[in-house]
Amino acid sequence: MKFFRLLTPLLLAIVTVLCFAPAAWAFCGFYVAKADTKLYNKASQVVIARDGDRTILTMANDFQGEVKDFAMVVPVPTVLQKEQVRVTQAKIIERLDAFSAPRLVEYFDPDPCAPAYPNELSAAPAPAAARSEAGSARDDASLGVTVEARFNVGEYDIVILSAKESGGLETWLKRSGYKIPRGAKQLLQPYIRSSMKFFVAKVNLDKFEQSGYQFLRPLQISYQSPKFMLPIRLGMINATTEQDLIVYILSPQGQAEITNYRTVKIPSDANIPLFVKNEFGEFYKSMFQTAYTKEDRKVGFLEYAWDMGSCDPCSAEPLTSEELKQAGVFWLDDNSASDVPVRPGFRRPLPRSNVFISRLHVRYTRDKFPEDLIFQQTANSESFQGRYVLQHPFQGELKCQAGREYKRSLPKRFEQEAQTLAKLTNWKIQDIRNKMKLSVGNLRYSWWESFLSWLRL
């Protein structure tokens, strides 16, 4: 069964910003839209805050159906006590999603006939930086199952189990009222062989009704272990299609990466046609699928890597120190720069926040991802984001020689944007060209004029 997900509304907002940061890598653009997890029908989310061998793991619940049927079984490296488990608010994962989502930005060409002044900031984008309790103890023992701990947290009844063999564990779970999918026995065995424990949760209906919450809240667990991993194989038991998993890793160091599968940066910093502004969700889904297929469906994609104290352009406000602590950041001091407000779109000119976020996107199936995800932290603090650019042509009169040359250059630029979009998405090039005619305003050309303009370049 899948065990992570957060449903959030798709936000498409236009935020106007100024460009004042003199740093050579600053984008200084107009944020238009973001590709958050709402794009995916089967998207799961998990937050991992880790420093050394200490981890706080937050699981966003994706259960759909009757609350009484909910069951969560998560392999964990150690026996957890009640103090190590808490419920948290879904809003924190929403915030991380919004902050790190791939984004669409737009720029406007300046008047090519306007006089140039020294030190004038260009409007063009700067290049990216290399950036229930049942059964007696006797019955449990006969099944090879030991109840290591039992407690209640919020609306959840939780038991921590150890087991000697997967058939006994499966039987225990079913006898205890947990609705475990078929095929669990096979997938539980590897965790038992590696001496892992099992965090098992179901809903206490009385407490859930008393809580007043409409949806189940995310569960957050804290533990200490040298194993830096995320179990995903149990998420494949009932899977009939590919599943998307978004992992937000928070670290005091730098980027995190997957070690047992390749970690690849998502294609980024591409200029694409203006009409994509109204189709950004479909564009990103197509682009991700194209990249996923190209990489033989067995890599993890890095969609965002950045210090949490800044963003450029910002698709959402950086999280405050209080929000970061709710997300599990236990090493944060009380003087975090993240508490200082910043206008959307601005790079915060403040010291590093000592929290680095890596957003990893894994689309997995049983045949392509036979192993759980294993991560490592690195000291690489290079900034990266999935970022896609709309470049608006100048729409005013062009009476100077530079203006005429600029106008002649546009057909080639539009064709390059069309070719780039086709390559990224596998959309038909002619369909793209047809749509672009609606996007270039009064800068329309007949076929022969475009051809001659091309020859003159």
Side-chain angles (χ1 to χ4, degrees), residues 345-356:
F346 282 88
R347 175 181 180 270
R348 185 193 301 276
L350 295 168
R352 295 178 59 82
S353 68
N354 199 34
V355 183
F356 196 95

Side-chain angles (χ1 to χ4, degrees), residues 228-250:
F228 188 8
M229 55 86 71
L230 183 66
I232 64 171
R233 283 174 292 179
L234 291 180
M236 301 176 188
I237 294 177
N238 276 345
T240 57
T241 60
E242 299 164 339
Q243 297 184 69
D244 287 277
L245 170 65
I246 310 295
V247 185
Y248 312 94
I249 299 181
L250 305 175

Side-chain angles (χ1 to χ4, degrees), residues 139-320:
D139 292 334
D140 297 346
S142 68
L143 295 171
V145 175
T146 301
V147 178
E148 305 283 357
R150 188 191 300 270
F151 49 86
N152 171 270
V153 176
E155 61 265 35
Y156 297 97
D157 288 331
I158 295 166
V159 294
I160 309 297
L161 306 175
S162 60
K164 294 180 179 179
E165 56 93 13
S166 57
L169 178 58
E170 184 179 38
T171 299
W172 189 97
L173 290 168
K174 289 180 177 178
R175 286 182 181 178
S176 300
Y178 295 92
K179 295 191 176 183
I180 305 302
R182 292 180 180 179
K185 177 180 177 179
Q186 177 185 355
L187 294 176
L188 290 169
Q189 186 59 49
Y191 300 111
I192 294 174
R193 285 199 301 262
S194 60
S195 300
M196 294 189 74
K197 313 305 177 185
F198 296 89
F199 175 92
V200 183
K202 66 179 179 181
V203 178
N204 183 308
L205 296 176
D206 291 336
K207 291 185 178 294
F208 179 66
E209 291 177 2
Q210 293 169 10
S211 71
Y213 290 102
Q214 186 176 2
F215 300 103
L216 296 175
R217 292 176 291 174
L219 276 163
Q220 188 176 84
I221 60 177
S222 307
Y223 59 88
Q224 190 164 349
S225 172
K227 295 180 180 179
F228 188 8
M229 55 86 71
L230 183 66
I232 64 171
R233 283 174 292 179
L234 291 180
M236 301 176 188
I237 294 177
N238 276 345
T240 57
T241 60
E242 299 164 339
Q243 297 184 69
D244 287 277
L245 170 65
I246 310 295
V247 185
Y248 312 94
I249 299 181
L250 305 175
S251 165
Q253 299 172 349
Q255 287 185 24
E257 58 189 18
I258 305 169
T259 62
N260 54 334
Y261 300 97
R262 288 195 303 122
T263 303
V264 176
K265 290 179 178 178
I266 196 72
S268 183
D269 292 320
N271 281 62
I272 53 180
L274 301 181
F275 75 83
V276 176
K277 181 174 182 177
N278 297 320
E279 302 179 19
F280 185 56
E282 290 306 311
F283 157 77
Y284 194 81
K285 286 192 293 185
S286 296
M287 189 210 65
F288 187 91
Q289 181 66 33
T290 300
Y292 168 70
T293 302
K294 181 180 178 181
E295 297 290 348
D296 196 27
R297 299 175 169 85
K298 52 185 178 183
V299 303
F301 287 97
L302 180 69
E303 292 185 319
Y304 192 80
W306 213 280
D307 175 70
M308 288 293 294
S310 66
C311 46
D312 182 21
C314 294
S315 60
E317 284 279 331
L319 277 67
T320 65

Side-chain angles (χ1 to χ4, degrees), residues 330-366:
F330 53 88
W331 61 87
L332 200 64
D333 61 44
D334 294 328
N335 298 314
S336 170
S338 298
D339 282 338
V340 182
V342 61
R343 291 178 61 185
F346 282 88
R347 175 181 180 270
R348 185 193 301 276
L350 295 168
R352 295 178 59 82
S353 68
N354 199 34
V355 183
F356 196 95
I357 182 172
S358 302
R359 177 187 175 116
L360 297 168
H361 186 166
V362 177
R363 178 167 291 173
Y364 64 95
T365 57
R366 188 179 298 191

Side-chain angles (χ1 to χ4, degrees), residues 43-70:
S44 305
Q45 296 179 91
V46 58
V47 183
I48 305 176
R50 184 172 173 93
D51 182 14
D53 61 357
R54 297 172 296 172
T55 299
I56 296 184
L57 177 71
T58 306
M59 299 168 285
N61 200 301
D62 75 338
F63 180 75
Q64 297 182 23
E66 295 290 333
V67 173
K68 64 181 178 60
D69 295 331
F70 169 84

